[in-house]
Amino acid sequence: MNVKSKSGMHKAYQPLKPAANKYLQKKWDQDHYDEHRKKVTEAKPIVDTKGIRTPTHIQAKLKKAQVQEERQAVIDRDNQLLASKIADIQLSKGRIDHRNFYPARSLNSESRRIKLLEVAHENQAIYERITAQESEYRRELWQDDWVRIEQRREGITRYPHGVAHKQKITKKKSVKFFGGTSGQTLCSSSRTQDGETTDEDLRHQ
């Protein structure tokens, strides 16, 4: 037990009981304290409160490890088989014909064929009815009506319908004469197919 002096400069051990030598008493008290702390540290409980220890087979989980090993073994075996097959395929030149030419088949092909035949028969019957039907229009009446319309048009028109067509067919011909006074050119008149003379004599100065 340390107690400060009145001056505060000197520190001395103060034992609980009177002692002839304070330094020896301090040593003995320290030894007793260390032995006490050692006993407290090494003391064991009388009642075991740690609980039940987990069994070893539950901690290790040997069954799970066995299942994983078997699964890994199966995977390794499959990988080896697959690698060997791939190597054989790469080294070989295709000993098996892998081309499959199967005819196109359908479960309802017969019913579709029957429906197509029915549609074809119906179309043929419709075509025969259409071709056998006579027209209700008479072309001869249309032609006679058109002739009468043309005759009336020719009768009321100012210029005959065939004159313009004849003028398009007629080709004009011109002949140049160089004579008389200088700088004058005479163009002869051209005759049509009907023998009529057209007024096309132009005098160019």
Side-chain angles (χ1 to χ4, degrees), residues 2-191:
N2 297 331
V3 179
K4 292 184 180 181
S5 61
K6 292 182 180 180
S7 61
M9 298 298 294
H10 179 71
K11 294 181 180 180
Y13 177 75
Q14 298 294 333
L16 296 176
K17 294 180 180 181
N21 193 341
K22 294 180 180 181
Y23 297 105
L24 291 176
Q25 189 64 35
K26 179 181 178 181
K27 183 178 180 182
W28 293 337
D29 290 343
Q30 187 68 33
D31 292 340
H32 287 303
Y33 180 74
D34 293 340
E35 185 177 359
H36 171 69
R37 294 304 303 170
K38 183 178 180 182
K39 289 181 180 180
V40 171
T41 305
E42 294 178 356
K44 295 181 180 181
I46 298 175
V47 181
D48 188 6
T49 58
K50 293 182 180 180
I52 300 174
R53 186 177 181 182
T54 306
T56 306
H57 68 279
I58 296 177
Q59 293 180 358
K61 296 181 180 180
L62 300 177
K63 184 63 177 179
K64 183 178 180 180
Q66 181 182 359
V67 172
Q68 290 181 353
E69 290 179 359
E70 293 176 354
R71 184 170 178 271
Q72 188 64 34
V74 172
I75 293 173
D76 294 338
R77 181 174 58 82
D78 294 340
N79 290 338
Q80 291 179 359
L81 291 174
L82 183 60
S84 63
K85 290 179 181 180
I86 293 174
D88 294 340
I89 292 171
Q90 290 179 351
L91 296 176
S92 63
K93 295 181 179 180
R95 291 173 294 179
I96 299 175
D97 186 9
H98 61 280
R99 296 182 180 180
N100 301 322
F101 298 98
Y102 297 108
R105 296 181 181 179
S106 177
L107 297 177
N108 59 345
S109 60
E110 185 65 23
S111 61
R112 288 192 294 108
R113 187 181 64 83
I114 294 172
K115 289 181 180 179
L116 289 175
L117 289 176
E118 292 178 356
V119 171
H121 290 313
E122 291 177 358
N123 293 339
Q124 185 66 26
I126 292 171
Y127 175 75
E128 290 177 356
R129 288 200 302 270
I130 292 173
T131 54
Q133 185 68 26
E134 296 181 357
S135 178
E136 297 180 358
Y137 302 102
R138 297 182 61 182
R139 185 177 178 183
E140 295 80 4
L141 296 178
W142 290 359
Q143 289 181 352
D144 297 340
D145 191 14
W146 178 252
V147 171
R148 287 194 299 270
I149 291 172
E150 287 292 328
Q151 291 176 358
R152 292 176 183 176
R153 184 183 298 175
E154 291 293 336
I156 64 177
T157 185
R158 182 175 181 181
Y159 300 100
H161 184 67
V163 174
H165 181 66
K166 292 180 180 179
Q167 289 179 356
K168 292 180 180 179
I169 297 175
T170 304
K171 295 181 180 180
K172 299 179 182 180
K173 299 180 181 180
S174 62
V175 180
K176 294 182 180 181
F177 297 94
F178 297 96
T181 59
S182 61
Q184 294 182 355
T185 304
L186 297 177
C187 296
S188 63
S189 61
S190 61
R191 294 179 178 275

